[in-house]
């Protein structure tokens, strides 16, 4: 098989890139390790910055998002037991779109189906070859059958555990990483959300987050330890712990119910540099991971896809390779800003086991400062709604 751009991974990054390129007549093949059902059943975060929502529209898959998604003009942070609002719209002119990533992936798949895009599932043992030449190719296996895809470029959109980053020689790649000694225990429940906007909670017992997927579907998180296992957390224990962390009004009015899904996510900050090696380009979680606190995961992937898409258009339509040459540097500049914000907000809102009293006071005084200074809130808000690409 031959294509122009071979893409590894059918997460939001890979599907979005293939959809955008297809609309401009550039041929792609997406190779995905799992089944379509598996990809569509993963529960992921649910906040889209306005840049990403715009990209969904550009990719002609934004209709359902615009109908069912909800624009949030702000969110709350609680600390010392009190609620304070960050007025995103007032501070930046933009809100964010609350729309589950599971739904968004479904829309991208439908977009790919409509255009007749090629997404190959259950592709085992996917491997990039000859990435330092201008004739790279991919191989994969389905059952006992081996296949080969020849292409001009390979894009690794295969997430943190994918194969593409590992295909770059170790001495050509530099990793930067923090593994936080905590996790997020998340519960999805068919209950009305406790508040119409998100609540990020800094409490003595640790962080909590009240989020949602719709008017009848809530997503809640509590900070747990790295050693905690889902089996340690019955629904009753989860709700009791969440209530202890919430301010009194929210704890008193929250509606609880059986969990539909319960999982623990580790917290990690990670960047690999550079994001290009020869004819292999990395995008999204394949190159960088953020802790979920600032809702930057998908949104950091969005700018990679934006730069790469435009660079590929310049290559195919104008014979101009400046965008491809500059991709890694340009993408990393924005990636690092998203990393800084996620790291800062994570430090601000969680309780860490090794924090001393001085550092604890610093956290509270930083929150006091935030809610006494419009400039500080504006800085938070512009990062949360998304810095320009
Ligand atoms: N071969 C083929 N596919 C692979 C391989 C492999 N060796 N390894 C991983 N994959 C697939 C995964 O099964 C997954 O479907 O690559 C895809 C990667 O998708 P994500 O992890 O969602 O990564 P990305 O698309 O960059 O996501 C960006 O959206 O879903 C969130 O947490 C994610 O916030 C991040 C953002
Ligand atoms: C979610 O709804 O899952 C969610 C929302 C905001 C975050 C992280 C996760 O910062």
């Amino acid at each position: 098989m031959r294509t122009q751009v071979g893409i590894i991974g059918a997460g939001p990054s890979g599907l979005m890139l293939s959809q955008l390129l297809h609309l401009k007549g550039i041929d792609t093949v997406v190779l995905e390790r799992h089944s379509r059902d598996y990809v569509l059943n993963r529960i992921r975060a649910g906040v889209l910055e306005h840049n990403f929502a715009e990209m969904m529209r550009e990719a002609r898959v934004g209709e359902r998002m615009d109908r069912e998604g909800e624009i949030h003009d702000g969110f709350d942070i609680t600390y010392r037991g009190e609620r304070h609002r960050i007025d995103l719209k007032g501070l930046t002119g933009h809100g964010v779109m609350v729309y589950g990533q599971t739904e968004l992936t479904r829309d991208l798949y439908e977009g790919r189906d409509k255009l007749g895009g090629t997404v190959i599932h259950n592709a085992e043992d996917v491997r990039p070859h000859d990435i330092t030449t201008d004739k790279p190719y991919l191989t994969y296996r389905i059952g006992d059958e081996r296949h080969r895809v020849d292409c001009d470029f390979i894009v690794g959109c295969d997430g943190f555990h994918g194969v593409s980053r590992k295909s770059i020689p170790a001495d050509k790649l530099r990793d930067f990483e923090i593994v936080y000694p905590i996790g997020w225990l998340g519960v999805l429940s068919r209950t009305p959300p406790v508040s119409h906007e998100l609540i990020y909670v800094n409490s003595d017992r640790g962080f909590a987050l009240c989020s949602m997927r719709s008017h009848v579907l809530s997503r809640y998180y509590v900070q747990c330890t790295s050693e905690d296992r889902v089996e340690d957390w019955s629904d009753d224990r989860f709700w009791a712990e969440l209530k202890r962390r919430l301010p009194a009004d929210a704890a008193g009015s929250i509606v609880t119910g059986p969990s539909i899904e319960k999982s623990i996510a580790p917290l990690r900050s990670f960047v690999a540099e550079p994001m290009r090696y020869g004819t292999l380009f990395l995008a999204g979680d394949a190159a960088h991971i953020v802790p979920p606190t600032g809702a930057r995961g998908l949104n950091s992937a969005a700018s990679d896809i934006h730069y790469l898409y435009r660079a590929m258009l310049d290559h195919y339509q104008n014979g101009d390779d400046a965008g491809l040459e500059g991709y890694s540097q340009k993408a990393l500049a924005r990636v690092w800003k998203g990393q800084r914000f996620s790291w800062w907000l994570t430090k601000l809102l969680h309780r860490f086991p090794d924090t001393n009293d001085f550092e604890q006071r610093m956290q509270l005084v930083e929150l006091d400062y935030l809610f006494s200074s419009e400039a500080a809130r504006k800085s938070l808000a512009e990062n949360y709604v998304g810095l320009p690409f």
Side-chain angles (χ1 to χ4, degrees):
M1 199 186 331
R2 153 119 210 125
T3 189
Q4 288 170 297
V5 183
I7 297 174
I8 313 177
S13 302
L15 292 172
M16 177 60 92
L17 183 63
S18 78
Q19 176 74 1
L20 289 169
L21 290 175
H22 196 142
L23 286 168
K24 297 290 183 187
I26 298 167
D27 192 54
T28 64
V29 168
V30 180
L31 299 180
E32 165 59 47
R33 174 164 60 180
H34 291 293
S35 69
R36 181 169 169 146
D37 269 359
Y38 178 96
V39 173
L40 284 172
N41 283 314
R42 286 191 294 226
I43 306 286
R44 295 280 178 77
V47 175
L48 312 183
E49 65 179 43
H50 70 97
N51 290 315
F52 194 93
E54 210 36 66
M55 204 185 270
M56 290 287 283
R57 295 177 194 118
E58 187 179 352
R60 299 203 205 141
V61 291
E63 228 172 79
R64 195 162 67 100
M65 172 193 79
D66 281 328
R67 220 175 36 243
E68 296 177 14
E70 222 183 86
I71 306 274
H72 283 205
D73 289 340
F75 63 84
D76 280 353
I77 293 181
T78 77
Y79 74 104
R80 300 188 201 271
E82 282 172 19
R83 272 164 91 148
H84 304 264
R85 185 159 187 268
I86 300 287
D87 176 8
L88 294 172
K89 182 81 187 269
L91 290 161
T92 69
H94 294 290
V96 289
M97 172 74 76
V98 172
Y99 188 60
Q101 253 181 62
T102 312
E103 301 310 313
L104 170 153
T105 309
R106 191 173 296 281
D107 298 342
L108 282 165
Y109 262 120
E110 275 174 20
R112 300 285 47 232
D113 289 346
K114 248 189 223 163
L115 295 182
T118 308
V119 183
I120 298 171
H121 291 96
N122 303 307
E124 294 170 62
D125 202 12
V126 175
R127 284 199 198 160
H129 302 270
D130 290 0
I131 51 179
T132 52
T133 74
D134 60 0
K135 291 192 175 52
Y137 64 98
L138 289 159
T139 54
Y140 66 98
R141 198 165 46 73
I142 296 202
D144 293 334
E145 245 178 85
R146 294 210 65 82
H147 301 268
R148 169 174 170 146
V149 186
D150 289 281
C151 38
D152 303 329
F153 303 106
I154 295 174
V155 184
C157 295
D158 48 349
F160 183 66
H161 299 287
V163 64
S164 43
R165 193 179 66 254
K166 292 173 198 142
S167 311
I168 301 176
D171 63 336
K172 303 289 183 204
L173 205 63
R174 183 160 178 209
D175 290 354
F176 300 81
E177 183 171 47
I178 300 173
V179 179
Y180 302 87
I182 53 175
W184 277 22
L185 170 67
V187 157
L188 188 68
S189 71
R190 207 166 295 289
T191 50
V194 66
S195 166
H196 66 288
E197 292 183 339
L198 271 63
I199 312 176
Y200 289 81
V201 182
N202 172 310
S203 91
D204 291 342
R205 298 182 66 89
F207 172 79
L209 170 62
C210 305
S211 182
M212 65 198 74
R213 295 290 175 271
S214 72
H215 293 297
V216 290
L217 204 55
S218 298
R219 182 71 168 160
Y220 294 107
Y221 298 93
V222 293
Q223 172 189 338
C224 60
T225 71
S226 307
E227 289 75 43
D228 273 316
R229 299 284 155 258
V230 173
E231 306 77 70
D232 304 334
W233 286 85
S234 65
D235 286 2
D236 286 348
R237 181 176 172 208
F238 176 85
W239 293 119
E241 185 58 39
L242 179 64
K243 282 184 192 173
R244 277 190 210 114
R245 297 183 190 191
L246 295 182
D249 63 326
S253 64
I254 191 169
V255 180
T256 64
S259 62
I260 306 172
E261 194 264 359
K262 196 187 283 162
S263 52
I264 292 180
L267 266 64
R268 183 195 300 272
S269 296
F270 174 85
V271 181
E273 292 186 350
M275 288 171 60
R276 173 196 185 172
Y277 182 67
T279 38
L280 170 69
F281 294 81
L282 302 179
D285 278 19
H288 42 80
I289 295 280
V290 283
T293 326
R296 292 294 83 205
L298 178 62
N299 300 302
S300 291
S303 49
D304 298 352
I305 298 305
H306 171 88
Y307 297 135
L308 202 48
Y309 164 58
R310 279 182 170 59
M312 292 211 166
L313 282 191
D314 276 348
H315 170 84
Y316 284 112
Q317 295 183 337
N318 312 320
D320 177 356
D321 281 352
L324 290 176
E325 297 298 336
Y327 168 69
S328 178
Q329 202 183 0
K330 202 163 180 181
L332 282 166
R334 190 173 189 271
V335 160
W336 275 112
K337 288 182 187 144
Q339 290 283 340
R340 184 204 69 81
F341 177 63
S342 306
W343 164 84
W344 171 78
L345 200 61
T346 299
K347 292 280 192 192
L348 187 67
L349 296 179
H350 294 78
R351 285 284 179 281
F352 291 96
D354 52 356
T355 302
N356 67 27
D357 290 350
F358 186 90
E359 290 164 322
Q360 204 52 62
R361 282 291 165 93
M362 284 297 115
Q363 197 184 60
L364 289 178
V365 77
E366 181 137 15
L367 284 160
D368 284 340
Y369 170 61
L370 185 64
F371 289 103
S372 65
S373 158
E374 184 172 318
R377 284 197 300 285
K378 197 162 182 162
S379 165
L380 188 162
E382 72 171 357
N383 280 276
Y384 194 90
V385 301
L387 296 173
F389 287 166

